[in-house]
Amino acid sequence: MRQWVLTFAVVDFDLDLGPIVRAVYPPVYLSPSESENIAFSAFPDSLQFDQGTEVHSFRIRVYPDSPHTPCQDGPKRPEPLDGFMYGFSYFSQKRDCNSKRGYRQSSLVLLTHHQYPAFFTSVISKLGPLFHNHGITMLETACHNIANWCSPSSGSTLELGFLGSVLHVELPMSIDSQQLVETASFGRGFDPTEHVSLILLLASSVPLYPPPINLFEASLSHLWSVWECLILCEPLLVYGPSPSMTSQAVWWLRDLIRPIPLAADIRPYFTIHDRDHALLVNKSPPKVGLVIGVTNPFFAKSCTHWPHVLSVGRKTRRKVIARQGATVVTGPCAGWTTKTHRRYISKDRQLLKRLEKACASSTSDRMQASLELRRHFCSRTNAVLVPLNRYLNTLIPSPAERNTTLGLRRLKPFSTAEFFLSLRSSPSALPFKSPSKQREFYEKWLRTPAFGLWLARQEEVVQDALRQKI
């Protein structure tokens, strides 16, 4: 089971202690700081509704065990794949006359080492209501189902039985691979807008419901600037009224940079109680490429020095709520704010018109528009790499060079000057505003950690291919 899911955590609200992890099933050791982090991340920062449910996700760092960690009697906990743990929370709030607060709050959290938002959001969305209605029996059944799943294998398409249904899931070749509807293994007739029943899933993509375009309605004309900031590893604060909105938005933004490797930290939902709070949010300039999703208005004040803020949702006036004589500002109004970015590449104005029209149309139209928007930016990300791939092909040693006494079996050194000569003779297909803007864009990208990681991986691919030709 732990190849897929580490454990499930049951989180309740204690009047004296706040959110606490009541139980984990199957049993697994969680350090006190991990339990606290999970508990606070499992709940919304503020009251969302009188009665209802919501699903959101979060990412927390896994720290090495301290010398004082108690001995574990159970099986050894698997090592994280990337140093992080991912949580997918089903939060429920119901009226309860027996509670001093007047209602009961609880969450069921799926904990995993895989960043498969579409897949695990579907799993917890199916299990959550059944667990809240029927208790531990449903959780035991779910764990039994998961234990019978075959091992996750990169690039595979699996049929996974779960609570009376079959989930058809396509796993990515790697965590930085694009999973596109057009290339899905489900067949040519696959239309994700017709499969919101959570049966056919591209694991690493973003949940399609509610339509992601809803999140960016107030910032549609600025999404080209947002995309450029992501590619150039600019730090970005994503503010929203709920964890479900910020987590969906952050996962959607992370998806747009594939196949460029993720070279920075992302947090789909981040709270002031996170152990990394002081590390990531302080008076210093934000870390390169950091993207965090927040809902607490505290961050609007503590992150005033951040260069870019994306507030998700529909365009509304700034909300002010009076509570017991005090005026409480709920946070920045929906939209895009930047202090430093000036766009390098022209936006697609015809696409923008279609998106604006879709926002005023049906849910189905908004889903289709969300898919079109994703295809557009995925295509642009691939286009960023075309000139670099073209130049890299010139760095692959020829058969004659490989057969010399030196036996050159790796890429020749990357030369920035030679790359720009190549770019001048064969410009990018992207609609840059001017040749100088194109050069400025690539000069900046070549200085990002994402470029360094991408180049290292290309060298590995070429080296492996050349070794096979020995």
Side-chain angles (χ1 to χ4, degrees):
M1 172 178 164
R2 290 195 169 120
Q3 293 180 89
W4 289 94
V5 176
L6 183 63
T7 190
F8 289 94
V10 179
V11 182
D12 289 331
F13 189 90
D14 185 282
L15 286 174
D16 298 318
L17 303 174
I20 60 170
V21 175
R22 290 286 187 194
V24 290
Y25 186 86
V28 68
Y29 174 75
L30 297 174
S31 69
S33 64
E34 284 177 335
S35 293
E36 180 181 3
N37 211 345
I38 291 165
F40 279 99
S41 299
F43 275 39
D45 262 334
S46 58
L47 192 64
Q48 298 294 308
F49 34 66
D50 184 37
Q51 289 194 102
T53 63
E54 65 122 50
V55 175
H56 68 270
S57 53
F58 56 88
R59 182 188 200 225
I60 60 175
R61 192 182 306 276
V62 176
Y63 283 90
D65 284 343
S66 70
H68 305 292
T69 296
C71 296
Q72 302 179 40
D73 297 327
K76 182 176 175 59
R77 195 170 111 183
E79 291 294 322
L81 301 174
D82 58 0
F84 290 88
M85 184 188 302
Y86 298 86
F88 295 83
S89 174
Y90 181 90
F91 169 76
S92 172
Q93 179 170 294
K94 295 180 179 180
R95 289 181 182 173
D96 184 357
C97 59
N98 296 321
S99 170
K100 291 181 180 179
R101 305 181 80 206
Y103 49 86
R104 181 177 181 272
Q105 294 175 315
S106 62
S107 288
L108 178 67
V109 184
L110 181 158
L111 297 172
T112 178
H113 289 152
H114 297 286
Q115 45 178 309
Y116 295 156
F119 176 53
F120 288 120
T121 295
S122 300
V123 170
I124 199 65
S125 296
K126 189 173 183 63
L127 174 59
L130 294 173
F131 170 74
H132 282 292
N133 290 332
H134 303 288
I136 190 66
T137 302
M138 294 309 304
L139 191 54
E140 291 173 342
T141 302
C143 291
H144 179 73
N145 290 163
I146 296 170
N148 287 322
W149 291 352
C150 55
S151 300
S153 177
S154 299
S156 60
T157 301
L158 306 173
E159 295 183 359
L160 307 174
F162 188 67
L163 300 179
S165 62
V166 178
L167 305 178
H168 298 259
V169 184
E170 180 186 283
L171 302 182
M173 287 299 298
S174 74
I175 204 56
D176 293 311
S177 299
Q178 289 178 332
Q179 284 195 284
L180 301 175
V181 173
E182 293 75 16
T183 57
S185 58
F186 302 126
R188 294 181 62 186
F190 172 54
D191 181 355
T193 65
E194 297 178 359
H195 297 285
V196 292
S197 55
L198 316 179
I199 298 299
L200 303 180
L201 300 162
L202 301 174
S204 66
S205 65
V206 183
L208 194 58
Y209 188 84
I213 197 173
N214 293 356
L215 301 168
F216 309 108
E217 184 174 343
S219 308
L220 285 181
S221 64
H222 301 290
L223 288 180
W224 285 264
S225 294
V226 176
W227 172 80
E228 286 185 5
C229 288
L230 293 168
I231 296 296
L232 296 173
C233 294
E234 295 278 346
L236 178 60
L237 180 72
V238 179
Y239 185 89
S242 71
S244 61
M245 294 177 71
T246 64
S247 56
Q248 187 184 21
V250 171
W251 282 121
W252 194 84
L253 296 173
R254 185 268 177 271
D255 189 44
L256 297 188
I257 68 171
R258 293 185 170 106
I260 295 175
L262 179 66
D265 197 354
I266 63 167
R267 301 298 176 99
Y269 172 52
F270 190 71
T271 76
I272 60 174
H273 302 281
D274 194 290
R275 184 171 173 178
D276 284 347
H277 176 257
L279 175 68
L280 300 182
V281 179
N282 49 53
K283 294 182 179 180
S284 302
K287 295 182 180 299
V288 173
L290 175 63
V291 180
I292 62 173
V294 302
T295 63
N296 193 327
F298 162 84
F299 289 99
K301 298 178 181 179
S302 60
C303 297
T304 54
H305 60 297
W306 282 49
H308 318 294
V309 178
L310 175 64
S311 185
V312 298
R314 303 186 67 178
K315 197 165 188 177
T316 57
R317 292 184 179 181
R318 190 177 179 91
K319 294 181 180 178
V320 179
I321 300 174
R323 291 181 182 171
Q324 297 178 352
T327 299
V328 180
V329 180
T330 61
C333 56
W336 165 250
T337 305
T338 179
K339 297 178 180 178
T340 59
H341 188 72
R342 297 293 181 269
R343 218 165 9 92
Y344 299 92
I345 307 172
S346 298
K347 65 182 71 172
D348 187 328
R349 296 190 180 278
Q350 293 301 315
L351 172 60
L352 177 58
K353 289 180 181 179
R354 293 195 297 273
L355 297 175
E356 290 172 340
K357 182 179 179 181
C359 284
S361 302
S362 65
T363 299
S364 177
D365 288 339
R366 281 179 275 131
M367 285 185 178
Q368 291 290 357
S370 299
L371 288 172
E372 185 179 9
L373 186 60
R374 180 175 183 252
R375 281 195 301 271
H376 172 77
F377 283 118
C378 286
S379 174
R380 286 207 165 189
T381 303
N382 282 316
V384 168
L385 297 175
V386 169
L388 288 141
N389 284 322
R390 186 187 300 126
Y391 170 65
L392 250 59
N393 284 335
T394 68
L395 303 183
I396 299 175
S398 65
E401 290 172 318
R402 296 198 296 268
N403 291 330
T404 63
T405 53
L406 294 177
L408 187 60
R409 300 194 182 279
R410 57 170 297 171
L411 279 177
K412 300 171 189 175
F414 186 97
S415 167
T416 300
E418 289 181 3
F419 166 69
F420 280 111
L421 287 174
S422 171
L423 185 64
R424 184 185 301 173
S425 61
S426 300
S428 168
L430 288 168
F432 281 95
K433 291 186 172 184
S434 68
S436 62
K437 284 285 188 182
Q438 176 181 248
R439 183 180 179 91
E440 188 181 341
F441 177 88
Y442 277 103
E443 282 178 341
K444 194 167 185 179
W445 194 67
L446 294 183
R447 295 194 296 268
T448 66
F451 167 70
L453 188 55
W454 176 82
L455 182 60
R457 292 186 180 178
Q458 301 310 304
E459 289 176 336
E460 289 176 6
V461 170
V462 170
Q463 214 165 339
D464 289 344
L466 294 178
R467 283 200 194 103
Q468 292 174 9
K469 291 182 180 181
I470 297 176

